[in-house]
Structure formats: C-alpha cells, structure tokens
C-alpha cells in the first residue's frame, strides 16, 4: 500500500525542507517523491537534512507541471493549513489514511504539499478529490512542510500496520506452535468431562449446559498443541491425586 502513495511537493523554496521530507517519508516506509518546479534542487542542504534518506532524493522525480506528477494517480488529495473560499470535502490525516488505504492497494494516490509561504493555489486545490487539514490551533495553524508530511505519513503507516494486523487471525501464520486439531480437542474435552464427573463437579444424570459452556470457552481461545497438552497434564494430575486420595481413604 505505502509504495503506491506519492508525496508531491509544489514549488518548494528551501532545499533543506525537501531533505527533511525525504527523511520523514523514509522513516514511515514511503518512497515515491515528486518535486514540481523546486526553487533549488539538488542541493547540499537537502542531502544534509535527509540524513541517510538520500536514496529517496536520488530517485525523486523533478517535473515542470503539476499534471506530470498526477496523471497516473487515481486519488489526489491536497493538504492545506487553512480553509479556502469554496468549501471542499475536508478530512484529517487519519480519515485520509482510511480512505487512501483501500485505493492504494491497487491504484496510485498522490498527496500534494504547497509552498512554504503561500501553500497550494486554489486551482491546485481544485484538482483534488479531498483536502486534508491537520487540526492545528486556529491562529497558528501552519506547520513546517516536513512536519506536515511527517504527520500525514505517520497516519498512513498506522493504517497500513493495522490493516496488516486485521487481515491476520490472532493465532495466524506467525504463531509459534501449531494449533490443536479437532481430534486433540475432542480428546481434551472427553478427558475434562470425565475428570469433572470424577471430582463430583458434573452430574452425568443432570449435566445441564456445563460442557457446552466449557467447550465454548476453550474454543474461543483457539488453543494450540502445547496449551492442550498443558491442560491435559493438569487433568492427569487431578486424576492421580484422586486415585491417591481414594487409596488413603481405603486404608
Ligand atoms: N501559509 C500557507 C502555509 C504553507 S505551509 C497556507 O496558508 O497554506 C506549507 C505546506 O505545509 C502547506 O501548503 C501544506 O501542504 C502543509 N501544511 C502546513 N500546515 C498544515 C496543516 N495544518 N494541515 C495540512 N497541511 C499543512
């Protein structure tokens, strides 16, 4: 997903900001950077501020027109520090991440960042599906451009990580132990039932819903093989102490 999201900087003035943007992107796993008519680039200040994200700068595409940055993108959003004349659908970075994630699975997403002094023009903003505003305080709403890129990329990364997590069952592929199979579980339930009868907890003539409830409890946990073995070990200990107790009672 993150490799389908492009950061587009429009007419950036300070090369140091471009370097800081590259760093922010690389920290969060993004790599596609397009620069529309940067004032100064490449430049030592950009390389210095990238501090190791020079691969992002080396691969950055410099274009003369905004369309060259956007033509192959299916979703285009513009970031803005303030409201504009014509209201547009305005979302925050978290909402952007939720909207962009499914799109970026297949298609390409572009996120535009404006000039340090004036932001994006109205025409540029009107090329966008959505406007993204980081909810900063009124009266001091404008972040440094690299800080704004950082906030947006962080939300995109969080969304990417959470969709990875939710696509995976909690006991999924990276579980260390193989899950118990049906036969092992049935043997455990039979063992548990017999033990509960032996200790007079379960009355076989009036079992009520005890076993279904216990089955539901254990099945909800999706036990693995080791966990089932531990439970059966506990039951065996109970069985042994029952036998020992009845022998001593006989004596
Ligand atoms: N005075 C300009 C601010 C430009 S700051 C203006 O009013 O638009 C440079 C860029 O950083 C902005 O164009 C935008 O891309 C981004 N940015 C800064 N603060 C932001 C905020 N609160 N929400 C969204 N983007 C922001």
């Amino acid at each position: 997903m993150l490799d389908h999201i492009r950061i587009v900087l429009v007419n950036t003035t300070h090369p140091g900001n471009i370097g800081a943007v590259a760093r922010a992107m690389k920290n969060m796993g993004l790599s596609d950077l397009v620069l529309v008519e940067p004032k100064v680039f490449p430049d030592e200040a950009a390389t210095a501020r990238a501090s190791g994200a020079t691969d992002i700068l080396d691969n950055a595409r410099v274009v003369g027109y905004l369309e060259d940055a956007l033509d192959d993108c299916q979703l285009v959003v513009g970031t803005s520090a303030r409201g504009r004349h014509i209201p547009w659908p305005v979302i925050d970075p978290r909402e952007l991440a939720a909207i962009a994630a499914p799109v970026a699975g297949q298609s390409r997403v572009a996120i535009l960042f404006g000039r340090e002094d004036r932001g994006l023009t109205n025409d540029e903003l009107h090329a966008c599906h959505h406007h993204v505003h980081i909810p900063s305080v009124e009266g001091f709403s404008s972040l440094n451009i690299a800080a704004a890129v950082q906030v947006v990329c962080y939300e995109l990364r969080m969304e990417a990580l959470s969709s990875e997590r939710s696509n995976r069952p909690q006991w999924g592929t990276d579980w260390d132990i193989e899950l118990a199979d049906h036969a092992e579980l049935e043997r455990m339930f039979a063992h548990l039932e017999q033990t509960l009868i032996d200790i007079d907890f379960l009355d076989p003539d009036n079992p009520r819903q005890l076993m279904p409830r216990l089955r539901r409890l254990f099945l909800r946990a999706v036990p693995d093989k080791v966990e089932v073995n531990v439970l059966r070990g506990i039951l065996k200990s109970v069985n042994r102490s029952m036998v020992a107790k009845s022998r001593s009672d006989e004596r």
Side-chain angles (χ1 to χ4, degrees), residues 227-238:
E227 290 162 341
V228 165
N229 280 342
V230 170
L231 287 166
R232 296 207 55 186
I234 294 169
L235 294 174
K236 273 185 202 146
S237 278
V238 173

Side-chain angles (χ1 to χ4, degrees), residues 79-82 84 112-120 132-136 141-145 148:
T79 55
S80 181
R82 60 195 162 98
R84 303 295 171 123
L112 274 56
F113 292 84
R115 300 151 189 85
E116 288 95 327
D117 54 348
R118 294 179 290 125
L120 294 165
V132 176
H133 175 68
I134 299 164
S136 43
S141 63
S142 171
L143 281 74
N144 166 269
I145 183 170

